[in-house]
Amino acid sequence: MRSLDGRCALVTGASQGIGRAIAIALGRAGADVVAAARGASGDGHRALSSLEAEIRALGARAVGLKGDVSREGDVETIVDRALAEFGRIDVLVNNAAVYPDYHAPLADLPIASWDETLAVNLRGVFLCAKAVLPSMRAQKAGSIVNVSSIAAIRSSAGRIAYGVSKAGVERLTFGLAAEVEDVNVAVNALAPVGPTDTPSARAMFPREPRDRWVKPDDLAAVAVWLAQQTAATFTGKAVMVPASGTRTFFVYGQGDAERPWVRID
């Protein structure tokens, strides 16, 4: 048996980049995958369709759904469709996020940019977790993986809204882990130490050398490991993934001393 045979995973922001890599890795591990994305028309629709085909070729079932995680109605529809299609949700990967193209000090930051960043990156995590928890509570098992960023602890000038949103994601992770430990639901955060080598990042930082960038597949491998965890084995932690070539990670969590660069196998 593959490690996630018989389980169903919902991945948001799955049409490209980190989300796509995680969705494929979960399918390769045996999970049925619900891949959700906001831009699921035009190129986005084609990306979701090709993702479905790739996961099915791995021997897992897959369905792609359009939805905006910042909208309560969209999230409820996605979760309802996932439960109708597969009967359960064992894994939630909250990956959908925006990295605004602005670079401005707080005094000059458009309010609309602040609102969109917090709505997608933080409200979206809240809405998705809230929507899947009733089914996870009922089956007394589940794993929630919230994709964070190094910006949660080391935000750069001009990117305050993004850093605030990811810091909020980690605080939500640690608090929720404590709330649902009694029903055997693990809640953890996953973050690249630096930029991740995706098309959007390459377009945003075209002059930066990419030899030390984190690869999406490196994040996906850790996401699969986290998907297998329970409240008894590993919960309430943030795992920071460095550039390719190492299998050691920085792990920290609520109420724990930091554990610099430990192995996760």
Side-chain angles (χ1 to χ4, degrees), residues 36-66:
R38 179 167 63 172
S41 59
D43 290 343
H45 176 73
R46 286 186 286 275
L48 273 184
S49 295
S50 69
L51 175 60
E52 287 181 54
E54 189 166 352
I55 293 171
R56 288 169 181 163
L58 295 170
R61 295 179 294 175
V63 60
L65 299 175
K66 178 180 179 179

Side-chain angles (χ1 to χ4, degrees), residues 153-165:
I153 57 175
R154 192 170 60 194
S155 188
S156 57
R159 308 282 185 183
I160 289 177
Y162 183 77
V164 167
S165 72

Side-chain angles (χ1 to χ4, degrees), residues 6-218:
R7 302 191 205 179
C8 173
L10 167 58
V11 183
T12 68
S15 63
Q16 60 181 332
I18 295 171
R20 187 182 185 92
I22 290 175
I24 291 169
L26 290 168
R28 184 176 293 113
D32 298 320
V33 178
V34 178
R38 179 167 63 172
S41 59
D43 290 343
H45 176 73
R46 286 186 286 275
L48 273 184
S49 295
S50 69
L51 175 60
E52 287 181 54
E54 189 166 352
I55 293 171
R56 288 169 181 163
L58 295 170
R61 295 179 294 175
V63 60
L65 299 175
K66 178 180 179 179
D68 183 341
V69 297
S70 70
R71 298 176 181 270
E72 183 180 4
D74 283 15
V75 170
E76 290 176 347
T77 297
I78 290 168
V79 171
D80 287 347
R81 284 281 308 277
L83 291 172
E85 187 80 20
F86 300 116
R88 59 190 296 126
I89 299 174
D90 301 280
V91 180
L92 167 65
V93 180
N94 279 311
N95 169 72
V98 293
Y99 192 89
D101 57 5
Y102 61 78
H103 191 281
L106 188 67
D108 300 324
L109 180 65
I111 294 174
S113 295
W114 172 275
D115 288 346
E116 181 189 19
T117 305
L118 272 291
V120 176
N121 297 7
L122 183 54
R123 174 182 165 89
V125 172
F126 159 71
L127 289 175
C128 290
K130 184 177 176 66
V132 304
L133 276 174
S135 63
M136 289 185 175
R137 282 183 176 277
Q139 65 198 27
K140 293 191 181 334
S143 175
I144 297 175
V145 181
N146 299 321
V147 177
S148 182
S149 166
I150 187 66
I153 57 175
R154 192 170 60 194
S155 188
S156 57
R159 308 282 185 183
I160 289 177
Y162 183 77
V164 167
S165 72
K166 291 303 186 179
V169 166
E170 294 195 0
R171 296 307 106 184
L172 184 154
T173 297
F174 302 150
L176 182 58
E179 288 186 0
V180 297
E181 187 174 9
D182 63 329
V183 288
N184 197 35
V185 175
V187 189
N188 294 288
L190 169 64
V193 167
T196 304
D197 195 1
T198 63
S200 58
R202 290 195 292 270
M204 192 170 298
F205 306 110
R207 294 181 180 84
E208 287 197 21
R210 300 201 296 272
D211 57 321
R212 296 298 298 165
W213 284 20
V214 180
K215 303 298 183 186
D217 286 345
D218 295 331

Side-chain angles (χ1 to χ4, degrees), residues 223-257:
V224 170
W225 186 86
L226 289 173
Q228 300 170 53
Q229 302 311 304
T230 69
T233 60
F234 192 88
T235 192
K237 301 290 186 285
V239 180
M240 306 207 75
V241 180
S244 295
T246 180
R247 287 290 295 168
T248 56
F249 311 99
F250 190 81
V251 179
Y252 60 96
Q254 182 76 1
D256 285 352

